[in-house]
Amino acid sequence: MTETMKGPLRAPAQMLQDQSYGGHKSLHDDSEAERLGIKAGPIEGPTHFSQFVPYLVEIWGNDWFERGCFSSHFLNMVFEGEKVRVEVDRPAPGETRTTCRAFKEDGTPVLEASASIGPDHGVPLLEERMAKLRPAGDLVILSDMKVGMTGVKDETVTMGPDQHMGDLYPFSLADKLKVITEPMDLYHDVSASPWGKPVVPMEMVSVLGNYTAHQAKFPVKQPAIGLFADLQVRMIDGPLLVGETYILRREIVALGQSRRVENYWVSTKFYDASGKKLVADMLLNHGVLKASYPDYPKELLPS
């Protein structure tokens, strides 16, 4: 029988109240969320990833930071003041993949995920989901997007401990570490890191990966408000390190839509400063809310 490791309830912090992009506020702003029928600005999904890390390190040790993959499908939003607990199924010795889940205090599911250790990850959860997508059909907000489209240029990024991460992420790593649900010394203490520099927390990989996303110039019509529907973070020759320079390359790998949302899936690859060694990659399913786009044809919106 599979043993399930269960974590304590944690209260994640909402840090995106002041997020903006495309000249407007985001879904994480209370007023924008309420305008779209959501009770408040939700906590960003990757925030919950940190709660899993101690258990994944218990299973796979420091290999998790070097070759781990967390592939998450978000199920329900979490709001300021709500508490979240996580579960991780303990794999049998030698197994390289397991299942993870997160729940609110009342049992509402928050996310489901696969966690695996490389180099052979098999097919992570999100790649399974992406393979089952139906044809996107006619899109409006994303009508100019095409699968195979790449960012217009390589992007150069770094994350210093006190570096403000821009309008999209209006805080620093140091700010995050003050409220992170599962503190670890190796996120800030060089002496605690076997890699010579502190490690970028898994929940901050999307911050690093999206810091220069505007430079890709993907033709998403504006103003429109998006959210993370799915996120996969995979270390290939990791970890990603604080203060290290990386080259990012992006590609649209899938398009889709549901009744309320148009989706574009972006693969972002993190290379070292030479642009030759692949360190990590990220698969992000961006959902764009149809009702947030003023020119969306009314007859195509759900009633």
Side-chain angles (χ1 to χ4, degrees):
M1 184 175 177
T2 301
E3 175 193 354
T4 298
M5 297 181 284
K6 298 182 179 181
L9 287 166
R10 301 293 196 206
Q14 156 68 307
M15 299 188 71
L16 295 182
Q17 299 95 328
D18 298 323
Q19 183 185 63
S20 64
Y21 56 89
H24 56 81
K25 290 286 190 178
S26 77
L27 186 68
H28 301 282
D29 174 75
D30 286 347
S31 60
E32 286 291 341
E34 290 167 8
R35 182 174 68 85
L36 294 165
I38 299 168
K39 70 177 185 179
I43 291 169
E44 188 189 24
T47 304
H48 310 303
F49 288 7
S50 287
Q51 288 183 246
F52 293 96
V53 172
Y55 306 101
L56 299 172
V57 172
E58 180 180 332
I59 293 168
W60 288 306
N62 280 345
D63 286 350
W64 172 254
F65 296 107
E66 296 180 344
R67 295 181 281 110
C69 174
F70 195 80
S71 188
S72 172
H73 172 53
F74 299 115
L75 297 168
N76 286 289
M77 296 177 181
V78 175
F79 302 95
E80 188 86 68
E82 293 185 324
K83 294 182 179 180
V84 175
R85 63 177 178 84
V86 302
E87 295 181 354
V88 179
D89 292 342
R90 186 186 292 277
E95 289 188 356
T96 59
R97 177 169 171 150
T98 192
T99 301
C100 303
R101 298 165 293 275
F103 302 91
K104 297 185 186 184
E105 190 170 9
D106 65 2
T108 301
V110 172
L111 65 81
E112 60 183 0
S114 66
S116 55
I117 199 80
D120 182 11
H121 293 279
V123 183
L125 177 65
L126 289 203
E127 294 177 26
E128 291 177 357
R129 291 179 58 81
M130 190 171 67
K132 297 175 182 177
L133 288 175
R134 294 174 295 180
D138 293 332
L139 299 171
V140 176
I141 303 170
L142 306 179
S143 61
D144 296 326
M145 300 277 267
K146 300 289 184 290
V147 172
M149 185 177 286
T150 59
V152 298
K153 64 177 182 179
D154 287 356
E155 303 163 27
T156 302
V157 298
T158 188
M159 180 182 288
D162 298 306
Q163 176 185 345
H164 188 278
M165 297 306 293
D167 291 342
L168 199 58
Y169 294 98
F171 54 86
S172 67
L173 174 59
D175 294 331
K176 168 61 72 172
L177 294 183
K178 293 174 184 176
V179 297
I180 196 167
T181 55
E182 307 296 333
M184 300 186 78
D185 287 344
L186 54 71
Y187 294 153
H188 62 86
D189 185 351
V190 173
S191 67
S193 170
W195 302 282
K197 291 184 178 180
V199 173
V200 174
M202 184 167 62
E203 70 167 273
M204 291 289 281
V205 172
S206 58
V207 176
L208 180 64
N210 286 311
Y211 180 52
T212 54
H214 62 283
Q215 294 181 16
K217 298 189 181 302
F218 290 137
V220 180
K221 293 177 182 175
Q222 295 293 336
I225 290 178
L227 73 165
F228 287 6
D230 304 284
L231 177 64
Q232 174 178 296
V233 172
R234 175 166 48 195
M235 296 298 131
I236 294 165
D237 191 2
L240 294 168
L241 299 173
V242 177
E244 196 76 12
T245 297
Y246 298 100
I247 304 297
L248 305 188
R249 295 171 184 149
R250 304 182 195 274
E251 181 181 357
I252 305 297
V253 293
L255 296 168
Q257 68 173 311
S258 61
R259 289 180 65 247
R260 299 181 183 277
V261 177
E262 294 188 1
N263 301 80
Y264 63 106
W265 297 63
V266 180
S267 170
T268 302
K269 296 188 181 298
F270 297 71
Y271 290 85
D272 70 356
S274 74
K276 296 178 180 178
K277 186 180 84 168
L278 183 60
V279 179
D281 62 25
M282 179 175 79
L283 177 63
L284 175 56
N285 174 10
H286 292 265
V288 187
L289 296 165
K290 296 178 180 180
S292 72
Y293 182 56
D295 294 330
Y296 213 95
K298 297 295 186 288
E299 66 273 15
L300 298 180
L301 291 172
S303 55

